[in-house]
Amino acid sequence: IDSFWDALPPLRHFILPGGCELASRLHVARGVSRRAERLCVALSRQERVSPDLGIYLNRLSDLLFAMARRANELTNTPELSWPPQDA
């Protein structure tokens, strides 16, 4: 994750999911990972769940976000910010 972040400009605003096809697919995968993390937390209220699972899913979503940003950078696809920077 650090090697991806080191190659990217720092975040100065919220990034909307999207961009090139690969980045868009990585953002979808990130959403799935975040949903799995939320379901894991909900399950942990009823069943014993290893805390490592939640940590893993959180780091996975971080990795997917960094990979999506890098994919956009490598394809020279601009990131869409929120709020829009020209507003």
Side-chain angles (χ1 to χ4, degrees):
I1 295 171
D2 290 341
S3 64
F4 281 106
W5 280 119
D6 290 345
L8 295 167
L11 279 176
R12 300 192 190 290
H13 47 272
F14 182 77
I15 300 292
L16 294 174
C20 69
E21 182 177 352
L22 177 57
S24 295
R25 290 176 183 267
L26 288 164
H27 280 299
V28 169
R30 178 175 176 251
V32 171
S33 172
R34 297 289 294 173
R35 182 179 343 130
E37 182 182 1
R38 290 189 302 273
L39 289 171
C40 180
V41 168
L43 177 63
S44 72
R45 293 183 183 124
Q46 299 174 4
E47 301 287 335
R48 187 174 181 276
V49 175
S50 171
D52 292 336
L53 181 57
I55 293 168
Y56 174 82
L57 291 170
N58 183 271
R59 297 303 290 158
L60 176 61
S61 69
D62 288 347
L63 173 63
L64 293 167
F65 181 68
M67 290 172 72
R69 287 195 69 215
R70 183 71 172 137
N72 279 332
E73 182 183 59
L74 290 173
T75 59
N76 295 315
T77 305
E79 295 178 320
L80 300 175
S81 62
W82 187 259
Q85 296 304 298
D86 57 355

